[in-house]
Amino acid sequence: MSDTCTWAPDPDGDPALLPQTFGGFAAVAEIAPGTVIDTWTLDCFGGAVRSVTDLASRSASVMNPQTGPFHVTGAEPGDTLAVHFLSLRPRYGRGVSTTFPFFGALTGTHTTATLHPPLPERTWVYDLDLETWTARFAALDSDLTVDLPLDPMHGTVGVAPAGGEVRSTLAPGEWGGNLDTPEMRAGATCYLGVNVPGALFAFGDGHARQGEGETCGTAIECAMDTVLVVDLLKGVSTPWPRIEDDEYLMTTGSARPLEDAYRIAHAELVRWVAELTGLSQLDAYQFVSQTALSPAANVVDTQYTMIAKLPKRLLPASLRDQARGGVHRRLRERVQG
Amino acid sequence: MSDTCTWAPDPDGDPALLPQTFGGFAAVAEIAPGTVIDTWTLDCFGGAVRSVTDLASRSASVMNPQTGPFHVTGAEPGDTLAVHFLSLRPRYGRGVSTTFPFFGALTGTHTTATLHPPLPERTWVYDLDLETWTARFAALDSDLTVDLPLDPMHGTVGVAPAGGEVRSTLAPGEWGGNLDTPEMRAGATCYLGVNVPGALFAFGDGHARQGEGETCGTAIECAMDTVLVVDLLKGVSTPWPRIEDDEYLMTTGSARPLEDAYRIAHAELVRWVAELTGLSQLDAYQFVSQTALSPAANVVDTQYTMIAKLPKRLLPASLRDQARGGVHRRLRERVQG
Amino acid sequence: MSDTCTWAPDPDGDPALLPQTFGGFAAVAEIAPGTVIDTWTLDCFGGAVRSVTDLASRSASVMNPQTGPFHVTGAEPGDTLAVHFLSLRPRYGRGVSTTFPFFGALTGTHTTATLHPPLPERTWVYDLDLETWTARFAALDSDLTVDLPLDPMHGTVGVAPAGGEVRSTLAPGEWGGNLDTPEMRAGATCYLGVNVPGALFAFGDGHARQGEGETCGTAIECAMDTVLVVDLLKGVSTPWPRIEDDEYLMTTGSARPLEDAYRIAHAELVRWVAELTGLSQLDAYQFVSQTALSPAANVVDTQYTMIAKLPKRLLPASLRDQARGGVHRRLRERVQG
Amino acid sequence: MSDTCTWAPDPDGDPALLPQTFGGFAAVAEIAPGTVIDTWTLDCFGGAVRSVTDLASRSASVMNPQTGPFHVTGAEPGDTLAVHFLSLRPRYGRGVSTTFPFFGALTGTHTTATLHPPLPERTWVYDLDLETWTARFAALDSDLTVDLPLDPMHGTVGVAPAGGEVRSTLAPGEWGGNLDTPEMRAGATCYLGVNVPGALFAFGDGHARQGEGETCGTAIECAMDTVLVVDLLKGVSTPWPRIEDDEYLMTTGSARPLEDAYRIAHAELVRWVAELTGLSQLDAYQFVSQTALSPAANVVDTQYTMIAKLPKRLLPASLRDQARGGVHRRLRERVQG
């Protein structure tokens, strides 16, 4: 049996008081390893963008406010948090997405600096239907509507960074943060290396769904009711965030240019496969080269994120559930059992 | 009914006489649009690497020799070839993969120049079993073996480049070439813009399977028995190669850094969706942002390649088979009917 | 007449107590605009690497400890600090440089992740002669020695970042930080946008000299006796650090990939030239395209830095000293007069 | 005494008949090593852009037409051409520069694909005065004019590529080509590795001057009267083009992202210094790290080019003129003597 922590943002509170950084904030609660957190997160605009006439650059006073941070009892640098997502449900019947000036993959940005004026800023509102589990795309310039399957996920999941750094919730990196990968869905376990005592775990930026790469810079952004469990792996290090679900072992790399994000993720997967299988480094390199899937997560944030995914079914059967001491399966079974 | 062209490389010929460039070679045969080509392709090393003691850097005198080029009657600049793959079967019971000095995603290379000596050069040999449809990975430094499902594909598919250029079969680009994407499998239709009269279509570099990104630089390389049909879309332009199968509309971008490959592929997909649906550019940008899948193809060749994939099931039903005038479905039906 | 602030690190103190971040530290002193700071900075290793047998990865417990931060009275977000360097003199007769595992431009790194083992870690010690104003390169593996001219500079000059971030002194960015450009020498004025009340200015990482790009990852690192003056430009914003000396107007961009650093620096220079000359944006783009010099600063840090330099002699004579209200000339004249 | 070759383009000929590729063309003349070539080159637009109302995208039917190729007697793969520029003089009193749709460093391009419409296309005309040795910048949108010093150079200098490739004169690479570096001026010797019998040397794309990086995509483009001498170094290989003048040893790297161009150039310079001085690789890495200058050449072409420059005065005196067997000094003396 698990403890449950129900600390949650005040729905009537000022979103600007919530953390917009990983690091730099005192814990809102201390939880023991194994605790279930049952809470919710504000959307990336703090709820300020609600209609097609709201423009994020004018309406939103916050970006990616987080729920947390939570102090995990006993977590110390060199340990790993295992965060297993039990349930994600969009909290309201509304998601929004926007273009945002100088942000996105197909526009000049503050760093891919050009002399172009910004693309037009527009807001799309999606009706979210939890019965049919769909989000309705409605074109702004024509009549087309399309119902898209929901696939809820969290864009930001992370801990306080190393080296005393405090990082914007717009940035992904070794500490997790704004990875913006659709793999961070219910049923997945995210592994995060601990950098400071207590880890200071936080999360937010819920997406009703997103395409890989998050091309225009925003997903279908929504407040999220989320239930997760946090476990602690003592003495296990995790240089870059990893994700495991029933089907895949996944590694992440966050860097620019995008090939460096790819390199990090795949070097990590080579390492993971070698550890798990006893293969030599070169044999693991060969094995990963013929078996990995390699989707983009985000190609818009201050670092880009790539994922490397190994289908567990391609591993010897005896090893499929053995990664990281089998914690993913244990967490799955406990919450299902 | 279709004509069939059975021009094929001479199994006893010198691989060095086959094209190792797109452009720069006279056609081996002229075919009418609609012709089925039933032939085979040599592996990327011209068959010279056959055992774990063969090193590609010493044994191979060719790289990516092609079958072709074929002159397509009536093809002119501004048209598009539609190449539909009916069948790919590894020709021999053997596939090979290697590390190669200064080539691959996780090594210093000739362009990502470092002061490191090359990684060790090794050769892996895979037994290919067409009955069980598997390739057997056998570790070199331990006893592990794993049977991997076959998923045959062509690494190189292309036409003569524009502007009088002649390009190595190691390079991917607007003309196709060494895209190295696992999406180029049986059942897929590849669209290639025509740059010179007759198009001069060629293909090769068969892979029994590969991971996305082709991390170590080589797939499970094998000679391939291939049947495909070539059709011609007059007056239809294709700036970058596209692929369609029963499930996805796919665009490709080949460039460095990898984010530029991503940008090309996704800008092309935005364009394709806008054309197909009548959505405005910004609405199509939004739609693609929430629906596209974005896997790597190769992160090792002289340009890197990214794919953007739109699941057809997310399109309005009436549009799912309408891309490019419905040619993919027509080709499917003809060959199946 | 100026006030002088002589706050300085304790030569017998623990370097680990000095700031290794921009942001995150309380000011050591408050200074009025116009104050001269006469102090010194520790070298990047906190003085722990002193002989060819000291290895930085084992000996050094700090990286880039800073002198400061200084609170500048009246500085508020939206203002600009003008930091004019009067004098830089290596403090001791010794400089050191090293290779460092997985750090540098010609090696695999933590982000350009490869499977190579690290390059050998070596330490070079330079005798610094302030009389002849030279640093003696002495080869480790042969007898060659070469006397190189001193050209002292600071690798890190910065303020607290925006958005509540705290950033490692290994990172360069909008706040300055580890720009590692040889342009940061005596006679230069550095402009830094203010992000927090008091600006919290700090500096360190003295180099007796460095090549552009700082290829191996370290310069001729040395403790530095430095005199500078800090002025405040109220209501003047500076999105990215700029530098001015008697010969050049210079902009900086820090990002990856390196072309993004180039883009930022040159877009900033276009903006600066347009403001100063009244040229339209496109005319300024044209003018910069034919006149700018574009050296690398660093291609090794967590972001890379490029410089764009406009020779003032190519500007109309009446404008040469008018940038930013002529503050560079005023500071030059005051300290020389 | 030298032979002189005066083959030259026909001033009344069709520019479209001149080579727009390296490779793919038969030699216009055969020259012995040591031959002086006294000729001229058309500007990058084939002379079609002459006034501010001419737009390159409409007027120009060619891009970078070359003078040549010249077959150098006895040149074989594995040799090196040494091309020493004696004199470059703009041929007419006019230079032009333009923005060009989707080309340049501060705009979305065909590969840095965005959804922005192109920047406005504009043409600037420069009066070139060979007496005062200046080019007059005249703003289009205001009255400002500025006289800029001439610094004539060739944007394209190259040989036929390896591997049977034929490459557009818009591309730089191992074969030289569109390096677009201001270092390619009178007094410089360019070293090019030979890939095919006779080398097939060609050059063009004269610039009256350019900024480093060629930010807007074009320099002050002009037809050029050029005198150069071509020598042959038998058995000397040159993987990437090098340049030597009286002051500097220079290496080039052409690749994307820009850091790869930097890496190539600096790894080449480390190699060159090690060969010349007998330093070990790591000692040469250290020496280059403290002494190299690292300017951009172009950040706009299909590959970007970086230069690494070693000031000869920092080498031991006995070695300063010894690079590549002292050929630069011999060519200098011969033409001056």
Side-chain angles (χ1 to χ4, degrees), chain A residues 139-163:
Chain A
L140 295 176
D141 300 324
S142 61
D143 290 334
L144 187 69
T145 62
V146 180
D147 285 341
L148 303 172
L150 293 185
D151 187 11
M153 49 157 282
H154 279 288
T156 51
V157 176
V159 293

Side-chain angles (χ1 to χ4, degrees), chain C residues 193-210:
Chain C
V194 175
N195 302 301
V196 302
L200 296 176
F201 166 72
F203 62 105
D205 188 24
H207 298 166
R209 70 171 285 129
Q210 74 161 76

Side-chain angles (χ1 to χ4, degrees), chain A residues 214-264:
Chain A
E214 205 185 11
T215 302
C216 77
T218 56
I220 303 179
E221 309 287 340
C222 66
M224 194 76 75
D225 287 319
T226 297
V227 186
L228 56 81
V229 57
V230 178
D231 211 341
L232 180 64
L233 307 181
K234 290 296 295 180
V236 173
S237 72
T238 303
W240 289 88
R242 295 179 180 181
I243 305 173
E244 181 178 359
D245 64 18
D246 291 354
E247 303 294 331
Y248 296 103
L249 299 180
M250 292 177 266
T251 50
T252 71
S254 296
R256 292 189 182 187
L258 190 59
E259 55 262 44
D260 271 7
Y262 178 96
R263 287 173 176 130
I264 294 166

Side-chain angles (χ1 to χ4, degrees), chain D residues 3-26:
Chain D
D3 283 338
T4 297
C5 170
T6 57
W7 186 91
D10 176 358
D12 300 319
D14 179 357
L17 300 178
L18 296 174
Q20 296 179 58
T21 53
F22 286 93
F25 277 78

Side-chain angles (χ1 to χ4, degrees), chain A residues 159-177:
Chain A
V159 293
E165 282 206 316
V166 172
R167 298 301 303 273
S168 162
T169 51
L170 298 177
E174 293 91 333
W175 64 94

Side-chain angles (χ1 to χ4, degrees), chain B residues 20-21 109-116 163-169 171 174 240 254-257 259-261 263-264 267 270-271 281-282 285 302-304, chain D residues 20-21 109-116 163-169 171 174 240 254-257 259-261 263-264 267 270-271 281-282 285 302-304:
Chain B
Q20 296 179 58
T21 53
T109 68
H110 289 288
T111 51
T112 304
T114 69
L115 302 181
H116 296 284
E165 282 206 316
V166 173
R167 299 300 305 271
S168 162
T169 51
E174 292 91 333
W240 290 88
S254 295
R256 293 189 182 187
E259 56 262 45
D260 272 6
R263 286 172 177 132
I264 294 166
V270 168
R271 228 166 269 137
Q281 187 192 52
L282 285 172
Y285 186 30
T302 54
Q303 307 284 359
Y304 303 140
Chain D
Q20 296 179 58
T21 53
T109 69
H110 289 289
T111 52
T112 304
T114 69
L115 301 182
H116 296 284
E165 282 206 316
V166 173
R167 299 300 305 272
S168 161
T169 52
E174 293 92 332
W240 289 88
S254 296
R256 293 187 182 188
E259 54 263 43
D260 271 6
R263 287 173 175 130
I264 294 166
V270 168
R271 229 166 268 136
Q281 187 192 53
L282 285 173
Y285 187 29
T302 54
Q303 306 284 359
Y304 304 141

Side-chain angles (χ1 to χ4, degrees), chain A residues 21 110-115 163-168 240 255-257 260 263-264 267 270-271 281 285 303, chain C residues 21 110-115 163-168 240 255-257 260 263-264 267 270-271 281 285 303:
Chain A
T21 54
H110 288 290
T111 52
T112 304
T114 69
L115 302 181
E165 282 206 316
V166 172
R167 298 301 303 273
S168 162
W240 289 88
R256 292 189 182 187
D260 271 7
R263 287 173 176 130
I264 294 166
V270 168
R271 228 166 269 136
Q281 186 191 53
Y285 186 29
Q303 307 283 358
Chain C
T21 52
H110 289 289
T111 52
T112 304
T114 69
L115 301 181
E165 282 206 316
V166 173
R167 298 301 304 271
S168 161
W240 289 88
R256 292 187 182 189
D260 271 6
R263 287 173 176 130
I264 294 166
V270 168
R271 229 165 268 136
Q281 186 191 52
Y285 186 29
Q303 306 284 359

Side-chain angles (χ1 to χ4, degrees), chain A residues 89-112:
Chain A
R89 288 176 68 85
R91 185 176 175 87
Y92 308 118
R94 183 189 63 242
V96 297
S97 187
T98 70
T99 49
F100 195 91
F102 300 119
F103 191 70
L106 300 183
T107 172
T109 68
H110 288 290
T111 52
T112 304

